[in-house]
């Protein structure tokens, strides 16, 4: 018995150390890296609809003089490893990618004033088609000229296919509004219940 106990203990201890060793890197995993062309443009991410969905602000064109800056629904997704890091630490790691995909309001005899349609669940706004894709990347080295290291991109305000690559906008076009108005390190966490819940 004593021999078995003596043998078992080190085995158990090693098992625990191994388990802790494999858990720690997962919990603090670095965000998956964005891909770039040789001249520094960012490539459109793949499978962003499988990233962590955090919320959908809605600025219907019909309520914004027919032309909202970011029309209709804005579905926001965070790259999963960046999300894990945020949930663990409350901070956005270098390399974080967040996309916002624009989705039109469904066309179905919409009210000309509000843009709403009447569907089986009631009057309101229902999702139509994908109409645009934007991305932000935090990288304080690559984008040291952008406040906070956050660079902003658009792969087009158009139905798919979106553009394959995008150049960073100048800071005054995008970053400045985020810097002034977003509550969570340039990210609009005040509009994303999933991030507010995760950050606690
Ligand atoms: C006038 C202010 C303003 C400007 C300018 C602006 N944004 Fe935003 N952005 C917002 C708001 C508000 C949100 C929160 C979600 C929403 O309403 O779409 C947001 C959210 C985002 C998100 C999702 C992640 C986050 O930070 O919340 C991306 C990606 C994004 N914007 C890209 C861009 C790009 C690209 C540009 C420049 C072409 C830009 N934004 C310019 C106000 C702005």
């Amino acid at each position: 018995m004593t021999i078995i106990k003596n043998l078992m203990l080190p085995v158990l201890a090693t098992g625990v150390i191994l388990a802790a060793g494999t858990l720690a890197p997962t919990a603090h995993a670095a965000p998956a890296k964005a891909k770039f062309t040789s001249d520094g443009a960012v490539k459109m991410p793949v499978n962003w609809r499988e990233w962590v969905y955090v919320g959908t602000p809605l600025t219907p064109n019909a309520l914004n003089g027919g032309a909202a800056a970011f029309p209709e629904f804005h579905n926001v997704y965070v790259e999963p490893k960046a999300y894990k890091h945020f949930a663990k630490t409350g901070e956005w790691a270098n390399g974080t990618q967040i996309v916002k995909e624009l989705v039109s309001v469904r066309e179905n005899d919409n009210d000309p004033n509000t843009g709403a349609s009447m569907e089986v669940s009631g009057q309101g706004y229902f999702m139509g088609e994908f109409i645009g894709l934007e991305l932000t990347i935090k990288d304080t080295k690559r984008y040291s000229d952008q406040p906070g290291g956050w660079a902003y991109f658009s792969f087009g305000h158009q139905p798919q296919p979106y553009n394959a690559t995008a150049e960073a906008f100048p800071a005054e076009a995008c970053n400045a509004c985020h810097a002034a108005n977003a509550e969570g390190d340039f990210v609009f966490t005040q509009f994303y219940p999933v991030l507010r819940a995760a950050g606690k």
Side-chain angles (χ1 to χ4, degrees):
M1 274 313 276
T2 10
I3 293 167
I4 291 171
K5 263 188 197 155
N6 287 345
L7 277 175
M8 286 300 284
L9 270 175
V11 170
L12 277 176
T14 321
V16 169
I17 288 162
L18 278 179
T22 43
L23 276 178
T26 321
H28 295 286
K33 288 200 173 74
K35 296 200 165 58
F36 297 89
T37 64
S38 53
D39 55 359
V42 70
K43 295 185 182 173
M44 188 176 74
V46 287
N47 300 339
W48 65 88
R49 292 180 201 138
E50 294 167 21
W51 291 4
V52 179
Y53 166 78
V54 300
T56 302
L58 169 63
T59 50
N61 278 333
L63 300 184
N64 290 279
F70 296 96
E72 324 290 18
F73 295 94
H74 322 158
N75 290 351
V76 178
Y77 304 84
V78 180
E79 190 280 314
K81 287 180 182 158
Y83 173 85
K84 268 196 189 132
H85 187 277
F86 176 82
K88 189 95 188 156
T89 65
E91 286 171 7
W92 297 112
N94 241 5
T96 293
Q97 301 175 75
I98 306 177
V99 301
K100 131 161 150 178
E101 186 162 32
L102 306 175
V103 187
S104 65
V105 167
R106 176 176 144 85
E107 302 276 348
N108 182 20
D109 198 15
N110 304 39
D111 182 291
N113 296 316
T114 63
S117 62
M118 178 60 93
E119 307 292 348
V120 64
S121 52
Q123 195 184 32
Y125 300 105
F126 296 82
M127 287 190 189
E129 308 305 322
F130 296 117
I131 52 163
L133 187 69
E134 320 244 308
L135 168 71
T136 182
I137 300 175
K138 176 176 175 165
D139 189 330
T140 50
K141 284 195 190 114
R142 184 181 282 269
Y143 300 114
S144 54
D145 55 329
Q146 298 269 1
W150 289 96
Y152 294 84
F153 308 87
S154 171
F155 300 95
H157 279 195
Q158 77 227 9
Q160 289 179 284
Y162 303 135
N163 306 338
T165 62
E167 306 275 352
F169 282 95
E172 53 290 6
C174 310
N175 184 300
C177 177
H178 281 245
N181 301 298
E183 283 180 7
D185 181 18
F186 294 76
V187 179
F188 281 88
T189 39
Q190 67 263 45
F191 302 139
Y192 308 135
V194 175
L195 290 184
R196 290 202 307 277
K200 278 185 182 131

